[in-house]
Amino acid sequence: MPDQNQFVTLGVANEKFAAPVTKVQEILDMRTISRLPRAPENLLGMIDVRGQGVPVIDLRRTLGMEPAPDTENTRIVVLAINGPAGPVTLGLKADRVFEVTVLDSDQLDPPPAVSSAWVGHCIAGIGRRNGEFVTVLDLDRLLGAEAALSAA
């Protein structure tokens, strides 16, 4: 099974998202995050991953959702993304991680074109898993700006 068709599915609130498995380095249990002064609200701070400082972004806040307390299911997905200045390692806090899987079809539907004000720039496409919608995130677009900010 080629990696390009595999995804890590993760949840925020009642929504299901997917990240290409090729972008995922590891999945961590929740841990203490060192806050950064005057950081944007979705930049939670830094964690240590085997001696490397890794900024952690809150997926809820990045997507404009209300914050929620951490639970035993909260995870940090460590990702390798392409930022404006090159490759960057970021942690993405999600409410839960479901599985590494393939979607029901190799083809993703484009985001709906309902308004010119909303272009769905952070959505790579919409797929299904067991008949349910799964929004596949374009991580480079969604997190690229935060990657540049945290590297500054």
PDB file of all heavy atoms in Angstrom, residues 136-149:
ATOM      1  N   VAL A 136      -9.392  16.274   4.650  1.00  0.00           N
ATOM      2  CA  VAL A 136      -7.947  16.110   4.551  1.00  0.00           C
ATOM      3  C   VAL A 136      -7.320  17.500   4.549  1.00  0.00           C
ATOM      4  O   VAL A 136      -7.633  18.329   3.693  1.00  0.00           O
ATOM      5  CB  VAL A 136      -7.551  15.324   3.284  1.00  0.00           C
ATOM      6  CG1 VAL A 136      -6.034  15.219   3.171  1.00  0.00           C
ATOM      7  CG2 VAL A 136      -8.200  13.945   3.306  1.00  0.00           C
ATOM      8  N   LEU A 137      -6.489  17.749   5.556  1.00  0.00           N
ATOM      9  CA  LEU A 137      -5.889  19.067   5.734  1.00  0.00           C
ATOM     10  C   LEU A 137      -4.697  19.260   4.808  1.00  0.00           C
ATOM     11  O   LEU A 137      -3.895  18.340   4.614  1.00  0.00           O
ATOM     12  CB  LEU A 137      -5.443  19.235   7.186  1.00  0.00           C
ATOM     13  CG  LEU A 137      -6.560  19.168   8.229  1.00  0.00           C
ATOM     14  CD1 LEU A 137      -5.964  19.121   9.629  1.00  0.00           C
ATOM     15  CD2 LEU A 137      -7.511  20.341   8.083  1.00  0.00           C
ATOM     16  N   ASP A 138      -4.579  20.462   4.271  1.00  0.00           N
ATOM     17  CA  ASP A 138      -3.365  20.861   3.556  1.00  0.00           C
ATOM     18  C   ASP A 138      -2.461  21.480   4.616  1.00  0.00           C
ATOM     19  O   ASP A 138      -2.548  22.676   4.913  1.00  0.00           O
ATOM     20  CB  ASP A 138      -3.701  21.860   2.448  1.00  0.00           C
ATOM     21  CG  ASP A 138      -2.473  22.227   1.625  1.00  0.00           C
ATOM     22  OD1 ASP A 138      -1.345  22.179   2.173  1.00  0.00           O
ATOM     23  OD2 ASP A 138      -2.641  22.563   0.452  1.00  0.00           O
ATOM     24  N   LEU A 139      -1.637  20.671   5.226  1.00  0.00           N
ATOM     25  CA  LEU A 139      -0.850  21.095   6.390  1.00  0.00           C
ATOM     26  C   LEU A 139       0.143  22.194   6.054  1.00  0.00           C
ATOM     27  O   LEU A 139       0.402  23.063   6.882  1.00  0.00           O
ATOM     28  CB  LEU A 139      -0.145  19.886   6.994  1.00  0.00           C
ATOM     29  CG  LEU A 139      -1.094  18.824   7.553  1.00  0.00           C
ATOM     30  CD1 LEU A 139      -0.331  17.556   7.875  1.00  0.00           C
ATOM     31  CD2 LEU A 139      -1.835  19.338   8.773  1.00  0.00           C
ATOM     32  N   ASP A 140       0.709  22.160   4.868  1.00  0.00           N
ATOM     33  CA  ASP A 140       1.665  23.203   4.498  1.00  0.00           C
ATOM     34  C   ASP A 140       0.984  24.564   4.455  1.00  0.00           C
ATOM     35  O   ASP A 140       1.533  25.559   4.931  1.00  0.00           O
ATOM     36  CB  ASP A 140       2.314  22.888   3.149  1.00  0.00           C
ATOM     37  CG  ASP A 140       3.172  21.629   3.211  1.00  0.00           C
ATOM     38  OD1 ASP A 140       3.604  21.245   4.313  1.00  0.00           O
ATOM     39  OD2 ASP A 140       3.388  21.027   2.145  1.00  0.00           O
ATOM     40  N   ARG A 141      -0.213  24.606   3.930  1.00  0.00           N
ATOM     41  CA  ARG A 141      -0.941  25.884   3.892  1.00  0.00           C
ATOM     42  C   ARG A 141      -1.490  26.260   5.259  1.00  0.00           C
ATOM     43  O   ARG A 141      -1.442  27.407   5.674  1.00  0.00           O
ATOM     44  CB  ARG A 141      -2.099  25.811   2.901  1.00  0.00           C
ATOM     45  CG  ARG A 141      -1.658  25.872   1.479  1.00  0.00           C
ATOM     46  CD  ARG A 141      -2.853  25.971   0.586  1.00  0.00           C
ATOM     47  NE  ARG A 141      -2.444  26.122  -0.797  1.00  0.00           N
ATOM     48  CZ  ARG A 141      -3.269  26.072  -1.802  1.00  0.00           C
ATOM     49  NH1 ARG A 141      -4.551  25.868  -1.580  1.00  0.00           N
ATOM     50  NH2 ARG A 141      -2.832  26.211  -3.027  1.00  0.00           N
ATOM     51  N   LEU A 142      -2.035  25.283   5.967  1.00  0.00           N
ATOM     52  CA  LEU A 142      -2.643  25.552   7.268  1.00  0.00           C
ATOM     53  C   LEU A 142      -1.615  26.001   8.293  1.00  0.00           C
ATOM     54  O   LEU A 142      -1.848  26.920   9.060  1.00  0.00           O
ATOM     55  CB  LEU A 142      -3.367  24.297   7.774  1.00  0.00           C
ATOM     56  CG  LEU A 142      -4.035  24.408   9.145  1.00  0.00           C
ATOM     57  CD1 LEU A 142      -5.185  25.408   9.100  1.00  0.00           C
ATOM     58  CD2 LEU A 142      -4.533  23.046   9.604  1.00  0.00           C
ATOM     59  N   LEU A 143      -0.461  25.355   8.308  1.00  0.00           N
ATOM     60  CA  LEU A 143       0.512  25.589   9.364  1.00  0.00           C
ATOM     61  C   LEU A 143       1.756  26.316   8.888  1.00  0.00           C
ATOM     62  O   LEU A 143       2.611  26.649   9.706  1.00  0.00           O
ATOM     63  CB  LEU A 143       0.916  24.254   9.993  1.00  0.00           C
ATOM     64  CG  LEU A 143      -0.254  23.455  10.585  1.00  0.00           C
ATOM     65  CD1 LEU A 143       0.226  22.094  11.040  1.00  0.00           C
ATOM     66  CD2 LEU A 143      -0.915  24.214  11.715  1.00  0.00           C
ATOM     67  N   GLY A 144       1.884  26.550   7.617  1.00  0.00           N
ATOM     68  CA  GLY A 144       3.092  27.193   7.092  1.00  0.00           C
ATOM     69  C   GLY A 144       3.350  28.551   7.705  1.00  0.00           C
ATOM     70  O   GLY A 144       4.483  28.869   8.060  1.00  0.00           O
ATOM     71  N   ALA A 145       2.328  29.363   7.886  1.00  0.00           N
ATOM     72  CA  ALA A 145       2.504  30.691   8.476  1.00  0.00           C
ATOM     73  C   ALA A 145       2.934  30.580   9.930  1.00  0.00           C
ATOM     74  O   ALA A 145       3.803  31.320  10.390  1.00  0.00           O
ATOM     75  CB  ALA A 145       1.207  31.490   8.371  1.00  0.00           C
ATOM     76  N   GLU A 146       2.344  29.624  10.673  1.00  0.00           N
ATOM     77  CA  GLU A 146       2.737  29.439  12.070  1.00  0.00           C
ATOM     78  C   GLU A 146       4.175  28.940  12.161  1.00  0.00           C
ATOM     79  O   GLU A 146       4.908  29.281  13.067  1.00  0.00           O
ATOM     80  CB  GLU A 146       1.800  28.458  12.780  1.00  0.00           C
ATOM     81  CG  GLU A 146       0.512  29.079  13.267  1.00  0.00           C
ATOM     82  CD  GLU A 146      -0.522  29.239  12.168  1.00  0.00           C
ATOM     83  OE1 GLU A 146      -0.294  28.731  11.061  1.00  0.00           O
ATOM     84  OE2 GLU A 146      -1.544  29.874  12.415  1.00  0.00           O
ATOM     85  N   ALA A 147       4.567  28.113  11.200  1.00  0.00           N
ATOM     86  CA  ALA A 147       5.935  27.607  11.192  1.00  0.00           C
ATOM     87  C   ALA A 147       6.924  28.758  11.026  1.00  0.00           C
ATOM     88  O   ALA A 147       7.942  28.823  11.709  1.00  0.00           O
ATOM     89  CB  ALA A 147       6.113  26.590  10.072  1.00  0.00           C
ATOM     90  N   ALA A 148       6.602  29.670  10.140  1.00  0.00           N
ATOM     91  CA  ALA A 148       7.476  30.820   9.930  1.00  0.00           C
ATOM     92  C   ALA A 148       7.518  31.697  11.166  1.00  0.00           C
ATOM     93  O   ALA A 148       8.570  32.182  11.575  1.00  0.00           O
ATOM     94  CB  ALA A 148       7.000  31.630   8.728  1.00  0.00           C
ATOM     95  N   LEU A 149       6.363  31.863  11.826  1.00  0.00           N
ATOM     96  CA  LEU A 149       6.281  32.690  13.021  1.00  0.00           C
ATOM     97  C   LEU A 149       7.074  32.089  14.174  1.00  0.00           C
ATOM     98  O   LEU A 149       7.807  32.770  14.865  1.00  0.00           O
ATOM     99  CB  LEU A 149       4.812  32.861  13.431  1.00  0.00           C
ATOM    100  CG  LEU A 149       4.521  33.818  14.563  1.00  0.00           C
ATOM    101  CD1 LEU A 149       4.965  35.219  14.184  1.00  0.00           C
ATOM    102  CD2 LEU A 149       3.054  33.796  14.903  1.00  0.00           C
TER     103      LEU A 149
END
